[in-house]
């Protein structure tokens, strides 16, 4: 692994020094120093929201730092855009590939920089050069194949070939293995090591700590926008990485945890969603706040959506003793189960409509028999605005013009309008300021206090620990374990979420 | 920040006003032009003629507004109308042979037209919702099918209602109460009902929600497929209803019946301010759109100022202008 590791002494190609970045009034990165050296694989890890993507985007020329400096070959640079960075050989491969699916592989590799012969495209040259690049990557894809016909890891190889086609010096990879199977990962690792041997500087992010331990040379840990650790991988254990990622104090942001009642409200048995969730079992008590943890892509949202009838599923969901039919949202809502989506803007609210229309949308049949009773609607909005402390400058304004926090409160009001007994809240505080977070946490505790049962899905560990008296952790579409009472701690959740198996039996038992 | 928000909402309010009154201003301008150019323009005969002729497209356009608001499209309505009309005439002629020239034949014919319309709408809707083919493709296909079927039924010529039956059925188009002819009354009633359904019922709100963001609608436990299917069925029913009004006018149907009605109906919907991509629709706007389109034709016919052959060109300019205005306000956002 560390065969050709000549790196540490050489000068960095690309570096950040004292970089901060603010979005509006909120500072996301607080003075990050970071360097990428030729022939070195540098891992950047941290929890969701720790500032990884922002750091990567600054390195890749997608964002400018607010203060601080980006240096390339020792010279201070300011990239106009990602193209300017790519001209310097700095290429970022996103989790979502940037490929035109309907074009052929070679057309993608030279997209925007097509080789010409006079005024005509030089198809032959592009095809043969693509073939050369793919051979270099030991990838057996036909350059003439359409991208939508090739496999996911092959697509990744095409992205890398695209990067190689311009003198590649720095490769930034955003969770490249998140979409790959184990075998596909192996192929990727071989290619990455080959690139390292060729002297490319590589930034690698992943939630899978085992991977980092295996292929990376150096690891830098971000927490809340601050660099908390940077060390050679050889000197740090996976547990230490996890500890560095989490390790923060819990303030009194969270209300007292409610005590769950004895009777079971929701039972999920052997629930599977083809390809994403397999054999999940859950039990929810009255007045309980149950947390579901795990990495993005572990199947948490899919599990919740399957329970709520938004996705096809196998297995049974029993609410207050009655079986809920699969794939019928209306039935679930009527039976008293509501789901609040993590995708507020894409699936939660109609951004071009007003507050009133959004609030009553799922429950219009309750507002008037044939004609909608607008007065009742207005009254419901009045109540929601006061109950949920929604701050809207104007009642008639478009919901898209509300702040994220107020949108989230409106979405909560909308979800709770049907007076559900069980509420599943997916990422309750994504993209929301700390003040609103606290309000939402108080609301969740209130719901449980009133005898309702709440499932909170969150990628933020402190949120799970602060809110839930019991946490179920998912990994790879399965329930990896369950933690209760004092067991609910960051280290334990992270270990289960990362698929570190040794605690699994203990936790299940 | 509060300042900025205030300014923003203010400008939005102003733009909304312009969007609201835009089509009305255009309609008033057209009426003034018509009055200036020809003294007969405001005569009872001319107004009745214009309104009664607009009624067919108007009734269809009301249904089209729901389809488009929910993010759909139906290109087949013109051919569908022709086919339903042909079917109705054929069946009524057959029934006349056994039942004579009687009212029941007309009632059966009307029932048949409405049912055929519903079935045609159901076919479009099921192909779009259950089979999951794009509305444009489905209705382009059925448009060709119905047009070809009516040509085949009429054997390339014209299908005519028997003479006596035509006389009996005639009053449905030419008659009326208090000097207002039935098609106009029907159009007004359907427009008012449509406006109420669009603005004040869950169905109308659901249509707008689906057109605005289908995922949000689904996550809000709206039965998206059912609502979408219902819009096509409603449109089919209204096509059948328009045919019921149309057949007594000429008493015949041919391969050229209802030609380009679909485009006129869609144009009227768009001129009226409904968004082509869905998410917002208003029936009264559609009514204004229908009137604008028919007044352009009427004014050109009444004056020899501009050749009536240029009717299509002027309508085209109006349609494009309406869309440009919509686009502009969308870009400002």
């Amino acid at each position: 692994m560390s065969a050709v590791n000549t790196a540490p002494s050489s000068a960095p190609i690309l570096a950040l020094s004292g970089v901060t970045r603010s979005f509006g009034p909120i500072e996301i990165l607080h003075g990050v120093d970071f360097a990428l050296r030729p022939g070195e694989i540098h891992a950047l890890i941290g929890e969701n929201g720790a500032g990884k993507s922002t750091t990567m985007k600054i390195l890749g020329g997608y964002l400018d730092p607010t203060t601080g400096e980006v240096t390339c070959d020792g010279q201070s640079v300011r990239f106009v855009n990602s193209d300017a960075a790519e001209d310097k050989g700095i290429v970022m491969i996103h989790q979502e590939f940037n490929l035109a699916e309907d074009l052929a592989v070679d057309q993608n590799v030279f997209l925007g920089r097509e080789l010409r012969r006079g005024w005509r495209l030089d198809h032959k040259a592009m095809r043969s050069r693509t073939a050369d690049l793919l051979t270099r990557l030991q990838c057996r894809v036909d350059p003439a194949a359409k991208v939508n016909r090739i496999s996911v890891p092959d697509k990744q190889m095409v992205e890398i070939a695209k990067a190689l086609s311009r003198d590649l010096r720095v490769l930034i990879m955003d969770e490249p293995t998140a979409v790959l199977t184990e075998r596909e990962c192996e192929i990727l690792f071989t290619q990455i090591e080959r690139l390292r041997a060729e002297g490319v500087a590589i930034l690698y992010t992943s939630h899978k700590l085992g991977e980092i331990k295996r292929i990376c040379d150096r690891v830098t840990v971000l927490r809340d926008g601050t660099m908390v650790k940077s060390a050679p991988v050889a000197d740090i254990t996976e547990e230490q990485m996890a500890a560095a990622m989490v390790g923060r104090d819990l303030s009194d942001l969270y209300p007292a945890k409610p005590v769950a009642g004895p009777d079971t409200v929701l039972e999920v048995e052997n629930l599977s969603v083809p390809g994403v969730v397999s054999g999940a079992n859950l039990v929810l008590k009255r007045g309980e706040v149950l947390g579901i943890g795990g990495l993005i892509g572990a199947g948490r949202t899919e599990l919740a959506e399957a329970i709520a009838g938004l996705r096809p599923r196998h297995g049974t969901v029993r609410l207050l003793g009655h079986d809920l039919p699969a794939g019928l949202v209306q039935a679930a809502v009527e039976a008293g189960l509501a789901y609040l989506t993590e995708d507020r803007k894409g699936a939660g609210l109609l951004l071009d409509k007003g507050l009133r229309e959004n609030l009553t949308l799922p429950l219009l049949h309750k507002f008037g028999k044939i004609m909608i009773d607008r007065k009742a609607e207005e009254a419901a909005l009045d109540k929601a605005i006061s109950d949920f402390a929604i701050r809207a400058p104007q009642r008639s304004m478009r919901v898209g013009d509300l702040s994220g926090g107020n949108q989230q409160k409106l979405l909560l009001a909308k979800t709770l309008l049907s007076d559900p007994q069980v509420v599943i809240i997916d990422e309750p505080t994504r993209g929301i300021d700390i003040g609103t977070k606290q309000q939402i946490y108080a609301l969740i505790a209130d719901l449980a206090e009133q005898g309702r049962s709440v499932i909170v899905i969150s990628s933020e560990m402190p949120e799970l620990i602060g809110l839930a008296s019991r946490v179920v952790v998912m990994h790879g579409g399965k329930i990896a374990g369950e933690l209760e009472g004092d067991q609910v701690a960051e280290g334990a959740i992270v270990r289960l979420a990362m698929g570190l198996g040794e605690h699994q039996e203990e936790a299940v038992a | 920040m509060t300042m900025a928000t205030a300014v923003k909402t203010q400008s939005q309010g102003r733009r909304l006003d312009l969007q609201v009154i835009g089509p009305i201003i255009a309609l008033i301008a057209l009426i003034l032009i018509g009055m200036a150019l020809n003294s007969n323009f405001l005569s009872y005969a001319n107004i009745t003629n214009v309104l009664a002729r607009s009624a067919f497209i108007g009734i269809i356009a009301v249904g089209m507004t729901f389809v488009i608001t929910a993010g759909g499209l139906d290109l087949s309505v013109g051919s569908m109308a022709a086919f339903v009309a042909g079917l109705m005439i054929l069946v009524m002629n057959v029934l006349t042979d056994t039942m004579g020239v009687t009212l029941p034949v007309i009632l059966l014919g009307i029932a048949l037209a409405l049912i055929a319309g519903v079935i045609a709408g159901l076919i479009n809707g099921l192909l779009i919702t259950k089979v999951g083919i794009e509305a444009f493709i489905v209705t382009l296909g059925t448009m060709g099918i119905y047009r070809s079927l009516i040509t085949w039924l009429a054997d390339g010529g014209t299908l005519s209602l028997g003479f006596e039956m035509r006389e009996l059925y005639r009053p449905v188009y030419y008659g009326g109460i208090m000097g207002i002819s039935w098609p106009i009354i029907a159009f007004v009633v359907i427009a008012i009902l449509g406006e109420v359904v669009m603005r004040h019922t869950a169905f109308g709100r659901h249509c707008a929600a689906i057109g605005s963001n289908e995922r949000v609608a689904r996550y809000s436990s709206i039965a998206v497929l059912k609502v979408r299917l219902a819009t096509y069925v409603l449109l089919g029913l209204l096509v059948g209803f328009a045919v019921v009004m149309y057949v007594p006018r000429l008493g015949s149907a041919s391969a050229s019946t209802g030609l380009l009605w679909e485009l006129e109906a869609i144009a009227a919907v768009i001129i009226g301010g409904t968004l082509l991509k869905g998410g917002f629709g208003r029936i009264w706007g559609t009514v204004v759109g229908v009137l604008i389109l028919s007044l352009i034709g009427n004014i050109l016919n009444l004056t020899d100022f501009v050749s009536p052959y240029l009717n299509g060109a002027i309508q085209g300019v109006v349609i494009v202008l309406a869309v440009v205005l919509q686009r502009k306000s969308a870009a400002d956002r």
Side-chain angles (χ1 to χ4, degrees):
Chain A
M1 219 74 355
S2 47
V4 216
N5 202 348
T6 51
S9 55
S10 55
I13 303 179
L14 187 63
L16 302 180
S17 56
V19 161
T20 70
R21 170 74 207 195
S22 306
F23 291 97
I26 303 164
E27 194 176 271
I28 302 286
L29 283 185
H30 321 288
V32 168
D33 300 303
F34 190 80
L36 289 168
R37 294 184 166 80
E40 186 184 60
I41 304 176
H42 195 151
L44 181 66
I45 61 173
E47 292 189 302
N48 296 316
K52 277 178 312 189
S53 359
T54 311
T55 308
M56 278 188 283
K57 281 181 185 160
I58 291 173
L59 285 166
Y62 290 84
L63 283 178
D64 278 332
T66 305
T67 63
E69 199 179 32
V70 185
T71 54
C72 183
D73 299 318
Q75 309 257 307
S76 173
V77 286
R78 180 155 280 236
F79 301 121
V80 193
N81 52 32
S82 59
D83 287 344
E86 285 182 10
D87 287 343
K88 296 232 176 217
I90 301 161
V91 177
M92 177 163 172
I93 298 182
H94 299 263
Q95 242 185 80
E96 319 263 311
F97 301 133
N98 254 328
L99 297 172
E101 292 273 329
D102 291 318
L103 294 186
V105 169
D106 59 340
Q107 289 169 331
N108 265 288
V109 169
F110 287 98
L111 195 62
R113 303 170 300 124
E114 287 81 1
L115 302 179
R116 277 163 219 268
R117 216 174 171 178
W119 54 272
R120 292 179 309 129
L121 292 179
D122 191 348
H123 295 290
K124 229 172 149 186
M126 288 193 278
R127 191 143 294 178
S128 73
R129 279 193 52 190
T130 305
D132 291 347
L133 291 168
L134 292 171
T135 318
R136 214 172 122 195
L137 290 168
Q138 293 186 326
C139 171
R140 279 188 213 149
V141 165
D142 177 6
K146 277 197 175 181
V147 165
N148 57 18
R149 293 287 173 82
I150 67 177
S151 68
V152 172
D154 282 342
K155 284 182 190 174
Q156 211 159 33
M157 286 304 136
V158 173
E159 283 272 23
I160 296 176
K162 209 169 136 185
L164 282 174
S165 73
R166 37 190 128 193
D167 186 31
L168 175 68
R169 298 177 66 216
V170 177
L171 183 62
I172 301 168
M173 304 184 86
D174 186 3
E175 291 194 48
T177 56
V179 287
L180 301 185
T181 65
E182 219 157 296
R183 257 200 65 228
E184 293 165 351
C185 288
E186 291 305 319
I187 302 171
L188 177 73
F189 295 157
T190 322
Q191 302 310 334
I192 291 179
E193 275 156 17
R194 185 185 307 277
L195 290 173
R196 167 169 64 185
E198 287 180 14
V200 175
I202 297 166
L203 187 155
Y204 186 92
T205 64
S206 176
H207 281 296
K208 300 171 187 163
L209 301 180
E211 243 171 65
I212 286 164
K213 190 73 186 158
R214 233 191 87 189
I215 67 158
C216 296
D217 302 306
R218 192 172 185 84
V219 60
T220 293
V221 185
L222 280 179
R223 189 203 306 150
D224 290 339
T226 313
M227 217 182 75
V228 289
K229 204 173 190 85
S230 188
V233 165
D235 301 347
I236 180 169
T237 66
E238 286 176 46
E239 263 73 18
Q240 285 168 322
M241 289 184 211
M245 276 166 64
V246 293
R248 83 184 104 180
D249 301 335
L250 295 179
S251 61
D252 55 353
L253 193 56
Y254 301 96
K257 289 186 191 182
V259 183
D263 42 337
T264 301
V265 179
L266 179 75
E267 277 172 285
V268 175
E269 266 169 38
N270 204 16
L271 186 146
S272 297
V273 178
V276 273
V277 180
S278 56
N281 294 299
L282 273 185
V283 171
L284 185 66
K285 304 278 184 194
R286 182 173 300 282
E288 183 179 34
V289 178
L290 170 70
I292 299 184
L295 303 175
I296 289 172
R300 302 167 304 170
T301 296
E302 290 79 2
L303 171 63
E305 291 188 350
I307 294 173
L310 284 159
R311 261 174 203 274
R313 63 156 194 249
H314 305 293
T316 52
V317 174
R318 208 168 298 125
L319 180 68
L320 302 164
H322 299 288
D323 279 359
L324 290 184
L328 270 181
V329 211
Q330 292 90 343
V333 171
E334 261 161 50
L337 184 144
Y339 168 70
L340 189 147
T341 173
E342 58 169 345
D343 187 0
R344 185 161 64 225
K345 295 187 176 181
L349 296 170
L350 295 172
L351 299 181
D352 54 358
K353 301 276 174 207
L355 278 78
R356 175 172 53 84
E357 286 95 328
N358 271 288
L359 177 69
T360 58
L361 194 58
L363 217 66
L364 271 181
H365 54 279
K366 293 276 165 68
F367 289 87
K369 277 219 173 79
I370 296 170
M371 305 254 279
I372 299 169
D373 181 352
R374 203 155 286 186
K375 269 191 196 143
E377 274 191 294
E378 292 290 354
L381 180 58
D382 280 336
K383 189 165 165 0
I385 285 176
S386 76
D387 284 359
F388 294 84
I390 298 168
R391 283 209 307 268
Q394 254 188 317
R395 282 174 77 101
S396 60
M397 70 193 287
R398 289 172 64 240
V399 162
D401 292 334
L402 287 175
S403 73
N406 282 306
Q407 285 179 358
Q408 187 71 358
K409 288 193 234 169
L410 179 67
L411 184 55
L412 258 169
K414 172 186 165 183
T415 310
L416 296 173
L417 194 66
S418 61
D419 195 20
Q421 287 306 301
V422 173
V423 196
I424 306 176
I425 306 180
D426 201 348
E427 300 291 357
T429 62
R430 179 175 285 175
I432 281 175
D433 61 284
I434 193 90
T436 311
K437 271 188 185 179
Q438 198 154 21
Q439 289 176 327
I440 288 177
Y441 296 150
L443 253 160
I444 291 172
D446 272 356
L447 288 174
E449 206 65 43
Q450 292 161 18
R452 291 175 224 266
S453 312
V454 186
I455 297 179
V456 172
I457 299 174
S458 179
S459 301
E460 294 186 35
M461 303 291 164
E463 200 164 276
L464 286 179
I465 295 159
L467 287 173
S469 44
R470 191 161 60 95
V471 173
V472 164
V473 183
M474 291 186 73
H475 173 79
K478 293 199 169 84
I479 290 185
E482 191 179 308
L483 304 162
E484 207 166 345
D486 295 341
Q487 291 178 310
V488 179
E490 307 214 8
I493 298 176
V494 170
R495 264 195 297 277
L496 285 171
M498 300 279 174
L500 298 182
E502 65 263 38
H503 284 259
Q504 194 169 337
E505 286 84 0
E506 176 196 308
V508 167
Chain B
M1 191 202 145
T2 359
M3 276 278 282
T5 331
V7 170
K8 212 165 154 194
T9 37
Q10 196 189 0
S11 68
Q12 202 176 35
R14 202 167 53 220
R15 187 164 58 239
L16 204 77
D17 282 347
L18 203 108
Q19 256 195 355
V20 168
I21 53 172
I24 297 178
I25 290 176
L27 182 63
I28 292 171
L30 269 179
I31 292 172
L32 292 177
I33 291 171
M35 281 162 65
L37 290 179
N38 193 313
S39 52
N40 276 334
F41 178 72
L42 278 186
S43 69
Y44 167 79
N46 188 50
I47 293 292
T48 301
N49 182 30
V50 169
L51 289 178
R53 278 159 167 262
S54 334
F56 314 125
I57 302 269
I59 289 168
I60 293 172
V62 168
M64 188 69 81
T65 311
F66 284 96
V67 169
I68 290 179
T69 301
L73 193 67
D74 193 338
L75 296 173
S76 72
V77 289
S79 310
M80 191 194 289
F83 174 64
V84 173
L87 205 62
M88 183 181 176
I89 289 169
L90 270 183
V91 170
M92 283 174 76
N93 282 345
V94 169
L95 288 177
T96 314
D97 290 345
T98 54
M99 298 168 69
V101 182
T102 51
L103 192 63
V105 174
I106 291 179
L107 292 179
L108 281 173
I110 289 174
L112 175 85
L114 297 180
I115 291 168
V118 165
I119 291 173
L122 203 60
I123 291 172
N124 278 340
L126 286 174
L127 285 172
I128 291 161
T129 56
K130 297 282 166 180
V131 187
I133 310 171
E134 262 178 81
F136 187 95
I137 309 286
V138 168
T139 59
L140 189 65
T142 49
M143 171 170 107
I145 292 169
Y146 295 134
R147 182 61 65 197
S148 160
L149 283 178
I150 175 65
T151 315
W152 175 68
L153 282 181
D155 203 12
T158 304
L159 285 170
S160 296
L161 211 52
F163 179 75
E164 288 165 23
M165 182 51 83
R166 210 185 300 180
E167 285 302 307
L168 185 67
Y169 195 4
R170 220 179 112 88
V172 172
Y173 180 80
Y174 292 97
I177 33 171
M178 298 193 303
I180 305 169
S181 69
W182 287 118
I184 300 176
I185 294 170
F187 181 26
V188 168
V189 169
I190 284 174
I192 290 172
L193 281 177
E195 176 75 15
V196 169
V197 169
M198 181 66 91
R199 281 169 67 102
H200 297 288
T201 68
F203 176 69
R205 190 79 69 80
H206 286 172
C207 285
I210 292 168
S212 173
N213 185 334
E214 191 176 331
R215 259 187 93 208
V216 173
R218 204 166 74 81
Y219 277 68
S220 303
S221 73
I222 292 172
V224 172
L225 295 185
K226 274 188 202 160
V227 173
R228 182 158 278 168
L229 179 63
T231 61
Y232 289 99
V233 173
L234 174 68
L235 177 55
L237 175 70
L238 289 176
V239 167
F241 194 77
V243 167
V244 168
M245 295 276 133
Y246 175 82
V247 167
R249 179 168 165 240
L250 296 176
S252 68
S254 72
S256 62
T257 299
L259 211 58
L260 296 182
W261 279 11
E262 62 282 340
L263 295 188
E264 271 200 57
I266 293 169
V269 171
I270 302 309
I271 292 171
T274 296
L275 295 176
L276 185 57
K277 68 177 174 58
F280 174 76
R282 53 183 187 206
I283 302 293
W284 69 260
T286 298
V287 172
V288 172
V290 169
L291 294 180
I292 287 176
L293 286 181
S294 23
L295 279 186
I296 292 172
N298 181 246
I299 290 170
L300 293 186
N301 276 328
L302 287 179
T303 57
D304 28 59
F305 204 60
V306 184
S307 161
Y309 293 134
L310 284 175
N311 184 5
I314 295 178
Q315 288 188 347
V317 169
V318 171
I319 295 164
V320 173
L321 267 180
V323 174
V324 167
L325 285 174
Q326 265 186 34
R327 269 267 292 281
K328 242 187 165 171
S329 54
D332 284 352
R333 255 180 223 163

